[in-house]
C-alpha cells in the first residue's frame, strides 16, 4: 500500500495537480478574491456579533422582533453584513487592480461600486403615504448576499475593461506639467465612461427587451448559479469534503483551495438564514453547511481524537507530536498533525482521515435535515475552540452536544489504524536504538 501511495505521489498527475494548485493560488483573480473577501472580515465579524446578541435576546430573554430595541440592534447589522456585496464590489476590484499592477487601485475600486449600483440596485422612486411626496433611494436589500455574484462579476469585469482602455491608450492627453492627482483623474474619465456605457447599457437594454422581467443582475445570478448548484448540492458537498482531505494528504492546502471556490454560496446561505432569523421565520437547510463537518472536532479531518490517542502512546515520536499538537488542534489548527505525525503520504492514517469526515458529514446531514440540531445562521470566519464554533454559528446547544458526540465516534474510526501505525513507529524506534 505504501509503495502504491509513493508511486501515486511521484506520478505525473500529482505533480500536475500540485503545479495547478500553485498556479491557481497565484493567479491575480484568485488572489484578489481571497484578499477582497478577507478585507471585509471586520464587517462580517461585527455583523456576526450583533446577530448573536439579537438572536440570544429573542431566544433567551423574550425580545420581540417587532420591538424598538430589536430594530435598533438590526440597523448596524444591516450596514455591515447586510450590504456585504457593496464592500466586495470595492474590495475585490481594488485588490484585482493592484494585482494587475494598475495605478489608482482605490479609485478603480470606488468606480466599481458605481457600476454595481447601476446593475444590481438602481435608484428607485417611491411616493409616500401622503400622495404628494416622492423620494429616490437605493434598495439596501439588493446589496446583501443575493447580489454577491453580481458584485464579483462587476468587480472583475470592470477592472478588465478599465485595463483594456488604458492599455490601448484611450485616455485624455494632458501635459506632463499637470499635477499627478489631477492627471490621474483625467486619465480615468474615459475608462469610467466606457464601463458605465457597458454595464448600464447592457442592464437597460436587457430590462427594456424583457419588459422588466429580466435584469442583468438576475441574468448573472442565474448563469452562475447553474454550475454552483451542482457543486454545493448535497452529493456535491460529500465530494467537496473528500477532496479537501485528498488534497491535504498530498501536502496541498485543501481547505484553502476549496473554500475559495464555495465561499460565495456559503456567505449567501448563512446570510439567508440570518435574514430569516431576523424576521422570526424558520431557518432552512443548505448543503453548503456540510462544509463544517470536515473540522467539527479538531482541525481538518477531525484529528483531535487522534491527538488524544497519541498522548499516552508508547511511541515517543507519536507522544511528542501529540503533545505539541494538542493546543493548536483544539483551536482547529491542523498543520502540526498533518506534517508531524505525519498524515501526509501516510497510507495507514489517510484511510481514517478520509473515512471519518465522510461519516461525520453524513451524520451532520441527517441531524440537520431531521431537525435534531439547529440550522447554522451566523457565519464565523475565525478560529474558535472546539464546541464553541458549533454553538456560535447556530446559537443552539444541541449542536454542541452533537459535536461532542462525534468525539467517541471519530475515535473508534481512528483507533484500529492508530494502533497499526503506533506499532510501526515503536518497531522503528526500537530498531533505531539497537543500531545506536
Amino acid at each position: 500500500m505504501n509503495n502504491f501511495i509513493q508511486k501515486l505521489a511521484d506520478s505525473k498527475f500529482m505533480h500536475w495537480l500540485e503545479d495547478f494548485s500553485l498556479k491557481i493560488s497565484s493567479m491575480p483573480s484568485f488572489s484578489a478574491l481571497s484578499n477582497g473577501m478577507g478585507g471585509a472580515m471586520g464587517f462580517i465579524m461585527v455583523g456576526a456579533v450583533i446577530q448573536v446578541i439579537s438572536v440570544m435576546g429573542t431566544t433567551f430573554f423574550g425580545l420581540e422582533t417587532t420591538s424598538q430595541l430589536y430594530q435598533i440592534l438590526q440597523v448596524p447589522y444591516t450596514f455591515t453584513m447586510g450590504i456585504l456585496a457593496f464592500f466586495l464590489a470595492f474590495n475585490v476590484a481594488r485588490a484585482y487592480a493592484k494585482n494587475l499592477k494598475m495605478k489608482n487601485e482605490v479609485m478603480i475600486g470606488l468606480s466599481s461600486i458605481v457600476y454595481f449600483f447601476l446593475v444590481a440596485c438602481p435608484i428607485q422612486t417611491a411616493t409616500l403615504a401622503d400622495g404628494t411626496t416622492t423620494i429616490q433611494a437605493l434598495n439596501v436589500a439588493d446589496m446583501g448576499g443575493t447580489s454577491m455574484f453580481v458584485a464579483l462579476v462587476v468587480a472583475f469585469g470592470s477592472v478588465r475593461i478599465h485595463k483594456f482602455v488604458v492599455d490601448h491608450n484611450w485616455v485624455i492627453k494632458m501635459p506632463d506639467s499637470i499635477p499627478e492627482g489631477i492627471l490621474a483623474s483625467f486619465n480615468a474619465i474615459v475608462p469610467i465612461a466606457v464601463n458605465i456605457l457597458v454595464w448600464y447599457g447592457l442592464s437597460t437594454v436587457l430590462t427594456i427587451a424583457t419588459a422588466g422581467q429580466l435584469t442583468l443582475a438576475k441574468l448573472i445570478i442565474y448563469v452562475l448559479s447553474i454550475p454552483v448548484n451542482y457543486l454545493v448540492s448535497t452529493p456535491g458537498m460529500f465530494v467537496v469534503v473528500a477532496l479537501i482531505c485528498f488534497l491535504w494528504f498530498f501536502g496541498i492546502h485543501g481547505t484553502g483551495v476549496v473554500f475559495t471556490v464555495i465561499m460565495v454560496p456559503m456567505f449567501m446561505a448563512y446570510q439567508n438564514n440570518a435574514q430569516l432569523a431576523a424576521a422570526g421565520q424558520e431557518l432552512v437547510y443548505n448543503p453548503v453547511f456540510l462544509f463544517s463537518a470536515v473540522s467539527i472536532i479538531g482541525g481538518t479531518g477531525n484529528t483531535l481524537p487522534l491527538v488524544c490517542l497519541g498522548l499516552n502512546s508508547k511511541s515517543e515520536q507519536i507522544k511528542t507530536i501529540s503533545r505539541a499538537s494538542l493546543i493548536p488542534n483544539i483551536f482547529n489548527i491542523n498543520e502540526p498533525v498533518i506534517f508531524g505525525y505525519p498524515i501526509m503520504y501516510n497510507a495507514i492514517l489517510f484511510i481514517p482521515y478520509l473515512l471519518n469526515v465522510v461519516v461525520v458529514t453524513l451524520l451532520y446531514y441527517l441531524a440537520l435535515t431531521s431537525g435534531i440540531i439547529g440550522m447554522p445562521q451566523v457565519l464565523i470566519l475565525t478560529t474558535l475552540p472546539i464546541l464553541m464554533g458549533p454553538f456560535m454559528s447556530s446559537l443552539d446547544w444541541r449542536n454542541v452536544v452533537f459535536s461532542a458526540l462525534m468525539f467517541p465516534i471519530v475515535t473508534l474510526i481512528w483507533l484500529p489504524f492508530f494502533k497499526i501505525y503506533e506499532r510501526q513507529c515503536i518497531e522503528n524506534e526500537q530498531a533505531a536504538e539497537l543500531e545506536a
Side-chain angles (χ1 to χ4, degrees):
M1 185 66 174
N2 281 325
N3 290 335
F4 171 76
I5 293 296
Q6 191 59 48
K7 288 181 180 179
L8 180 60
D10 295 334
S11 66
K12 291 183 179 179
F13 170 75
M14 286 310 305
H15 286 300
W16 173 84
L17 183 62
E18 187 174 1
D19 291 340
F20 178 75
S21 176
L22 291 173
K23 288 180 181 178
I24 289 292
S25 61
S26 61
M27 288 175 58
S29 55
F30 187 96
S31 174
L33 180 59
S34 298
N35 293 335
M37 297 291 282
M41 187 69 68
F43 296 106
I44 294 171
M45 294 307 300
V46 170
V49 170
I50 296 169
Q51 185 185 354
V52 168
I53 295 172
S54 299
V55 175
M56 291 187 71
T58 57
T59 304
F60 301 110
F61 301 103
L63 184 66
E64 297 291 337
T65 57
T66 55
S67 67
Q68 184 179 17
L69 177 57
Y70 186 87
Q71 297 302 321
I72 290 173
L73 287 172
Q74 285 302 294
V75 171
Y77 173 82
T78 300
F79 285 97
T80 50
M81 280 286 287
I83 55 172
L84 190 57
F86 168 86
F87 299 125
L88 289 184
F90 169 80
N91 261 350
V92 174
R94 179 199 58 78
Y96 192 37
K98 185 177 181 180
N99 290 346
L100 295 177
K101 311 298 182 184
M102 298 172 65
K103 297 180 179 179
N104 305 313
E105 64 267 15
V106 173
M107 181 274 299
I108 293 174
L110 292 172
S111 302
S112 179
I113 295 175
V114 176
Y115 316 141
F116 170 68
F117 283 164
L118 291 174
V119 172
C121 41
I123 295 176
Q124 298 177 343
T125 302
T127 303
L128 298 183
D130 59 13
T132 59
T133 306
T134 59
I135 59 171
Q136 289 184 320
L138 293 170
N139 188 354
V140 177
D142 293 332
M143 302 183 201
T146 55
S147 296
M148 287 179 64
F149 278 134
V150 180
L152 294 177
V153 169
V154 170
F156 286 121
S158 64
V159 171
R160 275 297 175 184
I161 293 172
H162 192 112
K163 190 175 189 304
F164 177 87
V165 172
V166 173
D167 288 347
H168 286 76
N169 209 27
W170 298 354
V171 295
I172 298 175
K173 300 293 184 181
M174 299 292 291
D176 294 337
S177 58
I178 298 296
E180 184 176 352
I182 298 177
L183 183 63
S185 298
F186 273 91
N187 288 340
I189 291 176
V190 176
I192 291 175
V194 172
N195 260 301
I196 289 177
L197 180 64
V198 170
W199 297 109
Y200 191 51
L202 286 174
S203 184
T204 302
V205 169
L206 188 60
T207 301
I208 293 175
T210 61
Q213 297 299 310
L214 182 64
T215 64
L216 182 56
K218 291 180 180 178
L219 179 63
I220 292 172
I221 294 172
Y222 173 75
V223 171
L224 291 181
S225 67
I226 296 174
V228 169
N229 285 341
Y230 285 105
L231 176 65
V232 298
S233 63
T234 296
M237 287 306 298
F238 276 88
V239 176
V240 164
V241 297
L243 178 62
I244 291 172
C245 296
F246 182 77
L247 292 175
W248 267 116
F249 176 67
F250 288 100
I252 301 171
H253 199 300
T255 311
V257 171
V258 174
F259 180 71
T260 306
V261 177
I262 68 169
M263 70 169 71
V264 173
M266 180 175 288
F267 273 74
M268 294 171 66
Y270 274 85
Q271 189 169 33
N272 180 58
N273 267 1
Q275 291 171 347
L276 291 174
Q281 300 177 11
E282 185 178 354
L283 307 187
V284 296
Y285 164 76
N286 191 301
V288 78
F289 297 148
L290 299 180
F291 182 85
S292 301
V294 79
S295 57
I296 203 168
I297 193 74
T300 302
N302 297 312
T303 51
L304 183 60
L306 172 65
V307 172
C308 291
L309 287 172
L311 291 175
N312 295 316
S313 174
K314 295 178 181 179
S315 165
E316 288 300 322
Q317 172 191 330
I318 292 178
K319 184 186 296 184
T320 301
I321 294 299
S322 296
R323 289 175 177 174
S325 304
L326 179 61
I327 299 302
N329 206 249
I330 288 175
F331 283 86
N332 295 326
I333 298 171
N334 211 36
E335 282 78 359
V337 182
I338 296 292
F339 302 111
Y341 257 79
I343 294 175
M344 185 179 68
Y345 296 133
N346 189 326
I348 296 173
L349 294 182
F350 174 66
I351 296 172
Y353 182 70
L354 174 61
L355 179 61
N356 91 79
V357 168
V358 175
V359 170
V360 172
T361 302
L362 176 61
L363 295 174
Y364 191 50
Y365 163 73
L366 295 174
L368 282 174
T369 54
S370 63
I372 294 176
I373 62 176
M375 292 292 177
Q377 56 176 297
V378 181
L379 183 59
I380 304 295
L381 291 178
T382 188
T383 304
L384 294 174
I386 58 168
L387 303 184
M388 184 178 293
F391 176 75
M392 294 294 290
S393 64
S394 63
L395 301 175
D396 195 320
W397 62 268
R398 295 176 299 170
N399 294 53
V400 178
V401 174
F402 174 84
S403 300
L405 290 175
M406 291 302 101
F407 190 93
I409 294 173
V410 173
T411 300
L412 290 175
I413 296 174
W414 277 111
L415 185 58
F417 300 93
F418 169 79
K419 288 297 185 181
I420 296 172
Y421 181 62
E422 181 187 40
R423 185 171 64 247
Q424 289 184 353
C425 290
I426 292 172
E427 290 174 355
N428 292 335
E429 290 168 8
Q430 289 175 345
E433 289 179 1
L434 291 175
E435 291 177 2

